[in-house]
Amino acid sequence: MTDSAQTKVPVLAKLSSDKVFCYISMALLLFLPVAEIITEVLIKAKVKIPNMRLYPSYFQPYIVGLFGGILALAVILNIVSRIVNGKFKLYAADIFFFTLFLFMMLSCIFSVNPGVFAGGSRFYCERPEIFLCYFCLYFAGSMISDPKLRKKLLTAYVIVALIQGVVAFLQTFRIDICYCLFASNRVSNTTPYGLLQNTNFYGTLSCLLTAVTSGLFIFSSKLGRSKVFKWAMLALSLLMFYTMIASQARLAWIGTAAMIFTYIVSLIVMRKSNMDKKSLKQITTDFIILIAGYIVIIIIALLFTTYITSRVNRITEDTVGKVGDDGFGNGRGRIWKAALSSVPNHWVTGIGLDNLAEAFREQPGWQPGDYVQDKGHNEYLHTLATQGVFALINYLAMLIYSAVSAVKAVFSEKDDVKRCIIWLLLGAFAAYAGQALLSSSVMNVAVYFWPVAGLLAQRTKPVSFKKK
């Protein structure tokens, strides 16, 4: 290696280190809600900006796209520095980053309706640069292995939970900063939507943030936090749980159930692990306390609100006599049928990146003005229809790899701090993956999931193509 190359490597390595990835990711996660508050305050104050007509979520796609570009530059610098260093090792996270990007681009290039994404709705659609941001966040998460940096990243989730939770809680008392862009989506004017303009979007985010804050409470005894922090996390997790219920997004119930089930199974399995039994007992006790808190919140919601009862009644209306019908799942049956009908003709590259509406237009008898839907209301089915069979297989493989890696680490990791951080993240991962069965990916929610998937895809063992 030449002298010039030797001087370049440290510089490139520093510009694309785990710290850089951590701080850029934190900046994005925090800037989204802060920017939205500023936007809504400006709208409320009727501040006019030249050549700009502000509305809620106006800056969200710009922020995600900008940080996607910054993260992409860091990813390129990281790969170049590893190659120049002469010790390049390929990890599973690297492979998934490239395959995710490849299938996304193929779907975009061979789209039936090129250049159109989710009907053109700026904050609803996921353009290529938005997906690039997702994949870079996944890459960034996989780079962050230092427990101290992981704790800092989790701190960003806590701050976001506090901001979103307080705003959503005030909305249950009809106190809004500005106005809801999709007011028709609200079941009532006390249904919170946080800073996301849609109650289902908030249901997804609050489900994920409930899982993160709950995990921080459950594992506080091993993460070296103070008693004040521990009980503050319990209070914050219950606040998020309450606003999640208040959002009346039933998809969030599935996600929370998936998280609880994951903890129950893992706590049983961990009895045979190498973890100290006293520590495991404390974690189990805190988990039981958390569940008791959830039950109290549910009782309060049942006694003083209709958040739960109205949704239970709606579930009955959406399912009884409608299984296999278009009306099943609040119209999801109709959406899923259209999505599946497009697969035989577009199974290789999909009907087009975030272009599900075209699946409706291709149905026999469809006429202009008939019903279309831009999102699949099932992330897995949406990926299948819009990006194709291979893209779905790749996406599921990425998720499975993250989950399996996490399970192995939780069971075998000797450092309790590292173990509990991964365990916490596994609970959040299960929550998002569970609710994704009924939800749609949107830019200002999905950005909070992709770092979690990356954090679980640890770079502990490089991929080897040599025959043993």
Side-chain angles (χ1 to χ4, degrees), residues 199-212:
T199 56
N200 281 336
F201 299 169
Y202 181 74
T204 297
L205 181 58
S206 59
C207 175
L208 179 62
L209 295 177
T210 296
V212 172

Side-chain angles (χ1 to χ4, degrees), residues 254-330:
I254 296 176
T256 304
M259 176 198 70
I260 293 173
F261 177 77
T262 298
Y263 278 129
I264 291 174
V265 173
S266 59
L267 285 170
I268 293 173
V269 173
M270 285 299 288
R271 294 174 65 184
K272 297 182 179 180
S273 71
N274 58 10
M275 189 173 193
D276 176 64
K277 303 305 176 186
K278 184 178 180 180
S279 298
L280 186 58
K281 183 178 179 180
Q282 181 61 56
I283 291 171
T284 304
T285 300
D286 289 336
F287 173 72
I288 294 172
I289 292 173
L290 177 72
I291 297 301
Y294 284 174
I295 293 172
V296 171
I297 295 298
I298 291 172
I299 292 173
I300 292 173
L302 286 171
L303 291 176
F304 301 102
T305 75
T306 60
Y307 292 144
I308 296 177
T309 54
S310 65
R311 294 295 87 188
V312 172
N313 293 334
R314 187 59 185 270
I315 290 173
T316 303
E317 295 174 4
D318 290 343
T319 55
V320 175
K322 292 185 179 180
V323 177
D325 195 326
D326 285 355
F328 172 74
N330 195 23

